[in-house]
Amino acid sequence: QVQLVESGGGLVQAGGSLRLSCAASGSILSINAMGWHRQAPGKQRELVAWITSGGSTNYAVSVKGRFTVSRDNAKNTVYLQMNSLKPEDTAIYYCNADIASGAASVTDYWGQGTQVTVSS
């Protein structure tokens, strides 16, 4: 079994920073792309940032220049550094990853989500 566990969410004032972490564990053979999505109340889930196994990154236009995605392959962990946070960044943030495990071919796994709230 494979699990993704997020941490680092919380309440922060506008202009502040938070760092999210997401660690993958279980019978992992390899991890391809890892990334972050978010879902605000009443809105669809949207891609925030993505990083490939080789380190190439992709960002939503709304967060480019403020957020940075990175990963530590030795720890099977992906990070999201969020700076200059705005109230519109308030959402549940979900980690996901394409993982090849001992039980299956490459599968898209999701974490349980972590709440980020930015006050004005």
Side-chain angles (χ1 to χ4, degrees), residues 20-34:
L20 305 183
S21 300
C22 171
S25 62
S27 302
I28 297 171
L29 297 178
S30 64
I31 302 178
N32 299 331
M34 305 182 79

Side-chain angles (χ1 to χ4, degrees), residues 42-56:
K43 295 187 177 181
Q44 289 188 333
R45 190 174 296 190
E46 62 174 356
L47 172 69
V48 176
W50 198 247
I51 184 167
T52 68
S53 57
S56 296

Side-chain angles (χ1 to χ4, degrees), residues 80-91:
L80 185 67
Q81 178 66 44
M82 304 184 293
N83 298 328
S84 302
L85 282 161
K86 304 176 182 180
E88 51 262 45
D89 294 318
T90 295

